[in-house]
Amino acid sequence: QSALTQPASVSGSPGQSITISCTGTSNDVGGYNFVSWYQQHPGKAPKLMIYDVSNRPSGVSNRFSGSKSGNTASLTISGLQAEDEADYYCSSYISSDTLYVFGTGTKVTVL
Amino acid sequence: QVQLQQSGPGLVKPSQTLSLTCAISGDSVSSNSANWNWIRQSPSRGLEWLGRTYYRSMWYNDYALSVKSRITINPDTSKNQFSLHLNSVTPEDTAVYYCTRDSWIHSGRSFDPWGQGTLVTVSS
């Protein structure tokens, strides 16, 4: 099972909006509404930001939103803030022996 | 609030067995609505789901194809924890290992919360 494809880096100025894409296939992203997004600061464990494509866990800022079209899922961060600078990973459930696949990761830089 | 606390050695010799434990607070390893997972992260392989254990009237396990022949994940109901055992390790198994929960009633098919992570180095 191949990793989901994400851009290596995305940057934006404070207050701007950015979007991170996560491209898979009909066997993963396109086949299930089970895409999740994680934020990871250096030396820390990943933190869940979005689950099941577009649901936000309690406590996560509403500046984070998720969507999906076909085989590509997206994470949008609006009103970019310095604290949003981190690595972001997508993940999708897949119906095979290996139940979950992750994205390659995107480094978000706040200019 | 669910918390996961990992423990285990940070250095393992090649060909030996990597063993880590994840202690659960705020939930039960025997919960009918939770699955208990191990995930690792390395620069070369990125984030990689390894496997899970869960209880639905009996115990079940699912393992990633890449490690299926070498991995065991066991629950310990007396201590409310679960463990990872990966045998015949090589330097390619060097990674940060995380335990985490997925619970459909809390956050669908996603992982939350996560343990603090354990860097395991495979070296002689």
Side-chain angles (χ1 to χ4, degrees):
Chain A
Q1 182 64 43
S2 300
L4 307 175
T5 301
Q6 298 181 232
S9 63
V10 173
S11 62
S13 299
Q16 285 187 329
S17 293
I18 62 170
T19 297
I20 303 168
S21 61
C22 170
T23 301
T25 69
S26 58
N27 294 322
D28 39 61
V29 174
Y32 307 93
N33 287 323
F34 297 137
V35 176
S36 51
W37 289 92
Y38 303 87
Q39 177 192 66
Q40 187 177 34
H41 287 109
K44 300 294 188 182
K47 174 188 174 184
L48 177 66
M49 305 302 283
I50 295 289
Y51 68 93
D52 293 355
V53 177
S54 60
N55 294 286
R56 215 172 25 250
S58 172
V60 171
S61 170
N62 60 9
R63 297 186 298 105
F64 292 84
S65 61
S67 63
K68 190 186 86 166
S69 177
N71 296 335
T72 298
S74 299
L75 174 71
T76 297
I77 309 174
S78 58
L80 200 61
Q81 298 181 0
E83 68 210 49
D84 301 332
E85 188 162 290
D87 293 326
Y88 291 81
Y89 296 90
C90 61
S91 177
S92 176
Y93 172 83
I94 57 176
S95 184
S96 75
D97 283 2
T98 301
L99 294 177
Y100 291 92
V101 63
F102 285 90
T104 51
T106 298
K107 181 174 181 59
V108 169
T109 301
V110 181
L111 302 171
Chain B
Q1 180 187 0
V2 179
Q3 292 185 316
L4 304 176
Q5 181 67 38
Q6 299 177 216
S7 59
L11 181 63
V12 181
K13 289 182 167 51
S15 81
Q16 295 193 342
T17 298
L18 180 162
S19 295
L20 296 173
T21 298
C22 183
I24 303 163
S25 59
D27 200 346
S28 171
V29 71
S30 304
S31 166
N32 278 299
S33 60
N35 307 313
W36 304 97
N37 302 262
W38 287 96
I39 290 169
R40 67 182 178 184
Q41 184 176 28
S42 65
S44 59
R45 301 172 74 99
L47 283 163
E48 181 183 15
W49 178 82
L50 298 176
R52 68 180 183 181
T53 189
Y54 58 100
Y55 185 77
R56 302 290 186 271
S57 302
M58 61 182 284
W59 287 101
Y60 293 89
N61 291 100
D62 295 306
Y63 298 129
L65 268 178
S66 61
V67 295
K68 198 167 190 173
S69 63
R70 302 191 291 130
I71 190 174
T72 304
I73 297 176
N74 293 323
D76 182 344
T77 57
S78 66
K79 295 181 179 179
N80 200 31
Q81 63 187 29
F82 62 108
S83 61
L84 166 69
H85 303 280
L86 186 67
N87 60 40
S88 305
V89 297
T90 72
E92 287 234 330
D93 294 310
T94 294
V96 177
Y97 287 76
Y98 295 99
C99 60
T100 181
R101 179 189 74 170
D102 76 274
S103 173
W104 60 272
I105 64 169
H106 292 104
S107 55
R109 291 191 188 268
S110 66
F111 302 108
D112 180 58
W114 295 61
Q116 80 273 24
T118 302
L119 173 60
V120 179
T121 301
V122 179
S123 174
S124 54

